[in-house]
């Protein structure tokens, strides 16, 4: 195969000729048709994610996704079989020793590799893992039990994440030729029935250090990385499933009449087709975005989780809508929609449940948002700790009267020092003191919404309806600290808050806390500034 386009064309032919016609049979017989696996091997698809130096094709993440997508449209089990293999190849490529890569990539070109984390007592949270490895004379002895492994019993080589200490996890490669290795129970899963999901039992398996992936203690990181590499491929599977469903829905709606009207001409069907098509397209976009980021060497964890999280829910819905379009026939096991629902449903659980996705995606989104508790305020009795900070941030620019100069207000977002006035500082004397201090420091004055009026214009407003600021030093004067204010000012390097109420919420997100009036603070400040 000379290039990835030709490879994808060959995959499409395989899907059309050797997979799609057997879709229902695969589900019913719970196995792949005889000879299909060998055709997949012959086409080089097991080598797709193996690096070139180990005689692999080393295709891009995008192409791997498209291979999985094409095959999953024909039958989801076949797509998932490769998804499980590709993520395992990725971990071997990233973390394997030279000896392990040489040995297991040669093996992986002909046989499936698996990745196993789940145990009978622990899935989402590995802290209760019972499998363990102990070091003896520079080698490792592994014991334990891994369950629900995609391709488990079909795969011949497994990366296993086991404990190497009470809170320490490490990944080792074991293979079916090793003494002490055996297969256990194969799950009777309701979907993805074409491939086994089975158990690996490890009884005193001995491996050398070359069989460790990464370093000792790197197990959770590698397991998470395997998730990232699997989840976007699941998005590819879920796209394929929805393409399959959409084909059925469209063709059925174009032929079936209710009375004299074709289903396709009824608005209720049009709604369903629109929903399926949009779900399918959004799933495709997000898995391909994750692949694009991965290929560009950029972080892709979040998009990969989204592909699985959004895609699995979307696919279950799309297949259910397809079933509904087909009415009673849709509810029959003689047609695909019911098994498509069962297939798609697996991906709300495998590679981390939806609930875990919500936590991981939300955590990724929250990573750059300051939380109030991130800052521990120190009590400020004199101004010694903050004077050097003000000195360093001070500019020579003189402050003009903000009331008559909107251009100054426009410079608020760029200010190095901001004096922010709230209700507690809304007195003529305090305002006058604040202006003097601002002039000495080359600072800008910002205000909360109640102060916009005769003294301050809208251009000086801070908060969700005003400016977002990130000065070196922010001094909050008489400000309560409501989230709609702090969410736009919390990027300040140092936050000093002044309030007469010792329990004011504003202190929670501050570095310095001055309990007292804004006037007293400003008088002290002007005194020290000289
Ligand atoms: C088709 C399929 C293929 C699979 N392939 C593999 C594989 O190749 N390798 C492998 O190692 N495993 C595999 N698994 C196992 C899968 O990863 C686990 O089933 C999954 O991680 C959930 O673990 P669990 O089943 O132990 O459920 P539990 O962890 O016991 O969770 C039970 C329920 O509690 C919820 N829950 C748990 N903890 C929290 C929390 N902190 N916050 C909110 N909710 C929580 C879960 O979301 C879930 O709804 C596969 C599973 C399936 C169905």
């Amino acid at each position: 195969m000379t290039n990835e386009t030709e490879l994808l064309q060959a995959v499409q032919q395989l899907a059309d000729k050797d997979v799609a016609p057997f879709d229902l049979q695969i589900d019913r017989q719970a196995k792949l048709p005889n000879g299909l696996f060998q055709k997949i091997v012959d086409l080089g698809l097991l080598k797709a994610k193996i690096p070139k130096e180990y005689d692999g094709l080393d295709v891009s993440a995008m192409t791997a996704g498209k291979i999985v997508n094409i095959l999953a449209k024909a039958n989801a089990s076949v797509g998932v079989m490769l998804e499980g293999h590709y993520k395992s190849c990725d971990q071997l490529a990233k973390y394997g020793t030279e000896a392990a890569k040489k040995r297991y990539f040669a093996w992986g070109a002909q046989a499936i590799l698996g990745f196993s984390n789940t145990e009978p007592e622990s899935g989402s949270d590995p802290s209760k893992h019972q499998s363990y490895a102990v070091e003896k004379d520079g080698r490792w002895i592994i014991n334990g039990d891994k369950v629900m492994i995609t391709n488990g019993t079909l795969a011949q080589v497994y990366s296993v994440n086991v404990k190497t200490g009470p809170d320490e996890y490490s990944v080792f490669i074991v293979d079916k030729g090793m003494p002490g290795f055996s297969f256990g129970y194969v799950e009777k899963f309701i979907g993805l029935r074409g491939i086994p999901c089975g158990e690996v039992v490890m009884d005193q398996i001995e491996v050398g250090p070359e069989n460790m992936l990464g370093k000792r203690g790197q197990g959770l990181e590698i397991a998470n990385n395997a998730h990232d590499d699997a989840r976007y491929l699941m998005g590819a599977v879920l796209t394929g499933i929805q393409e399959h469903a959409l084909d059925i829905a469209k063709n059925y709606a174009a032929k079936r009449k209710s009375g004299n009207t074709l289903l396709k001409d009824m608005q209720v069907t049009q709604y369903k087709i629109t929903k399926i098509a949009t779900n399918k397209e959004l799933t495709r976009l997000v898995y391909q975005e994750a692949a694009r980021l991965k290929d560009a060497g950029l972080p892709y964890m979040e998009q990969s989780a989204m592909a699985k999280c959004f895609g699995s829910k979307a696919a279950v819905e799309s297949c259910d809508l397809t079933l509904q379009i087909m009415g009673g026939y849709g509810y029959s096991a003689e047609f695909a929609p019911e098994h498509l629902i069962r297939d798609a449903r697996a991906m709300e659980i495998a590679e981390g449940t939806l609930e875990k996705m919500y936590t991981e995606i939300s955590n990724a989104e929250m990573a750059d948002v300051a939380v109030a508790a991130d800052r521990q305020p120190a009590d400020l009795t004199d101004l010694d700790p903050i004077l050097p900070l003000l000195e360093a941030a001070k500019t020579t620019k003189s402050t003009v009267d903000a009331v008559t100069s909107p251009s100054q207000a426009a410079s608020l977002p760029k200010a190095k020092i901001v004096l922010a006035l709230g209700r507690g500082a809304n007195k003529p004397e305090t305002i006058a003191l604040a202006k003097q201090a601002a002039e000495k420091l080359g600072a800008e004055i910002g205000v909360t919404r109640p102060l916009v009026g005769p003294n301050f214009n809208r251009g000086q407003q801070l908060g969700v309806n005003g400016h977002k600021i990130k000065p070196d030093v922010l001094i909050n004067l008489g400000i309560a600290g409501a989230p709609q204010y702090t969410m736009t000012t919390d990027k300040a390097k140092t936050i000093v808050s002044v309030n007469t109420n010792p329990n004011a919420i504003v202190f929670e997100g501050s570095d310095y806390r001055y309990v007292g009036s804004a006037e007293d603070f400003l008088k002290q400040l002007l005194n020290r500034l000289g």
Side-chain angles (χ1 to χ4, degrees):
M1 219 54 66
T2 54
N3 61 39
E4 296 189 1
T5 313
E6 283 180 27
L7 177 67
L8 290 175
Q9 282 165 358
V11 172
Q12 187 66 62
Q13 279 169 16
L14 179 82
D16 293 343
K17 185 166 162 283
D18 296 302
V19 185
F22 303 97
D23 176 53
L24 285 176
Q25 176 190 310
I26 290 171
D27 180 65
R28 269 192 220 124
Q29 297 184 355
K31 67 182 188 69
L32 301 186
N34 290 338
L36 175 59
F37 185 76
Q38 193 53 46
K39 284 180 181 158
I40 289 170
V41 173
D42 293 345
L43 199 53
L45 296 187
L46 297 196
K47 295 201 283 189
K49 288 301 291 169
I50 294 178
K52 285 214 162 71
E53 57 267 41
Y54 302 97
D55 203 22
L57 302 180
D58 202 10
V59 302
S60 63
M62 185 68 83
T63 297
K66 288 179 181 173
I67 293 171
V68 167
N69 186 163
I70 291 168
L71 289 169
K73 181 181 175 189
N75 177 267
S77 295
V78 180
V80 170
M81 180 177 77
L82 288 182
E83 168 269 309
H85 179 68
Y86 290 166
K87 76 161 175 199
S88 308
C89 289
D90 275 344
Q91 304 324 301
L92 180 56
K94 284 184 219 177
Y95 297 103
T97 60
E98 187 53 33
K101 286 182 193 174
K102 265 199 184 127
R103 176 171 165 76
Y104 292 115
F105 277 139
W107 208 331
Q110 307 290 325
I112 296 282
L113 312 184
F115 197 98
S116 47
N117 186 45
T118 308
E119 299 193 0
E121 301 302 322
S122 53
S124 305
D125 179 353
S127 60
K128 294 281 183 299
H129 274 8
Q130 304 290 310
S131 298
Y132 64 95
V134 285
E135 200 172 9
K136 196 177 163 213
D137 303 329
R139 295 179 66 78
W140 291 90
I141 312 294
I142 311 171
N143 280 284
D145 212 357
K146 292 287 176 187
V147 297
M148 298 188 203
I149 309 166
T150 300
N151 298 317
T153 68
L154 170 66
Q156 302 195 0
V157 177
Y158 295 80
S159 298
V160 292
N161 186 26
V162 300
K163 282 196 168 177
T164 43
D167 284 315
E168 184 186 78
Y169 304 81
S170 305
V171 177
F172 296 90
I173 307 182
V174 297
D175 66 61
K176 88 181 232 194
M178 290 175 169
F181 180 105
S182 63
F183 290 124
Y185 185 71
V186 176
E187 301 295 334
K188 294 187 173 50
F189 279 160
I190 60 169
L192 300 177
R193 284 166 47 79
I195 50 165
C197 231
E199 178 181 15
V200 162
V201 182
M202 298 170 290
D203 180 12
Q204 295 285 101
I205 296 183
E206 185 180 329
V207 297
E210 68 279 5
N211 274 36
M212 185 184 271
L213 282 191
K215 296 195 186 78
R216 178 175 181 165
Q218 229 181 337
L220 292 185
E221 179 196 319
I222 297 172
N224 285 335
N225 215 286
H227 283 321
D228 298 344
D229 289 326
R231 288 171 184 165
Y232 89 92
L233 290 172
M234 284 195 164
V237 171
L238 293 157
T239 305
I241 290 177
Q242 292 178 87
E243 286 168 348
H244 189 165
L246 184 59
D247 272 3
I248 297 171
K250 288 195 300 192
N251 282 304
Y252 194 83
K255 313 277 179 315
R256 175 78 172 182
K257 281 185 178 166
S258 178
N260 290 325
T261 314
L262 284 167
L263 295 186
K264 78 171 183 59
D265 295 325
M266 296 178 175
Q267 203 171 36
V268 282
T269 312
Q270 290 161 353
Y271 163 79
K272 293 183 182 98
I273 303 264
T274 303
K275 189 78 185 148
I276 300 165
T278 310
N279 277 348
K280 180 266 296 173
E281 202 54 17
L282 291 176
T283 309
R284 185 183 67 77
L285 285 169
V286 70
Y287 101 69
Q288 293 196 349
E289 175 62 1
R292 187 191 67 77
L293 292 168
K294 184 176 170 182
D295 284 333
L298 295 167
Y300 56 99
M301 168 262 148
E302 191 182 353
Q303 287 72 13
S304 191
M306 284 173 177
K308 181 189 121 71
C309 182
F310 174 80
S312 57
K313 273 272 175 216
V316 170
E317 183 187 35
S318 296
C319 300
D320 190 49
L321 288 168
T322 304
L323 184 153
Q324 193 70 12
I325 287 173
M326 291 184 69
Y329 294 113
Y331 194 63
S332 163
E334 297 197 14
F335 298 96
E338 64 84 24
H339 91 71
L340 294 181
I341 297 173
R342 290 188 275 111
D343 291 346
R345 189 66 175 79
M347 279 157 279
E348 292 188 26
I349 299 163
E351 292 298 342
T353 60
L354 281 186
E355 290 80 353
K356 272 198 88 173
M357 296 307 96
Y358 302 145
T359 306
E360 290 183 22
I361 294 168
S362 169
N363 284 349
E365 281 297 317
M366 297 301 286
D368 63 348
V369 177
V371 177
D374 285 350
R375 297 187 198 235
Q376 298 295 327
D379 278 323
L380 206 58
T381 42
D382 59 43
L383 305 191
D384 285 352
I386 63 164
L387 285 173
L389 302 173
L390 290 170
E391 199 56 46
K394 193 170 157 181
T395 59
T396 49
K397 177 187 77 56
S398 67
T399 303
V400 257
D401 186 350
V403 181
T404 54
S405 173
S407 64
Q408 186 217 352
S411 61
L412 193 51
K414 293 186 211 134
K416 295 246 184 212
I417 303 174
V418 173
L419 303 183
L421 310 186
R423 251 191 238 272
N426 194 13
K427 294 182 204 132
E429 191 201 351
T430 317
I431 293 170
L433 290 168
K435 284 185 178 171
Q436 279 179 49
E439 199 150 347
K440 279 187 190 281
L441 291 165
E444 301 290 354
I445 292 185
V447 297
T448 57
R449 194 166 55 94
L451 274 73
V452 174
N455 290 316
F456 300 99
N457 63 37
R458 259 191 82 79
Q460 288 181 287
Q461 189 181 327
L462 299 170
V464 282
N465 295 321
H467 288 291
K468 277 191 180 170
I469 54 168
K470 43 180 180 181
D472 289 351
V473 184
L474 166 67
I475 303 181
N476 290 316
L477 295 155
I479 285 177
Q484 56 269 35
Y485 169 76
T486 54
M487 65 197 276
T488 62
T489 56
D490 60 9
K491 296 273 189 303
K493 279 194 196 135
T494 302
I495 301 179
V496 181
S497 292
V498 178
N499 203 297
T500 50
N501 174 6
N503 300 317
I505 299 169
V506 73
F507 290 136
E508 288 176 13
S510 302
D511 302 290
Y512 293 101
R513 160 184 197 268
Y514 180 99
V515 180
S517 72
E519 297 92 289
D520 287 349
F521 176 89
L522 287 165
K523 279 179 191 161
Q524 238 194 97
L525 179 62
L526 285 165
N527 200 16
R528 296 294 298 270
L529 293 174

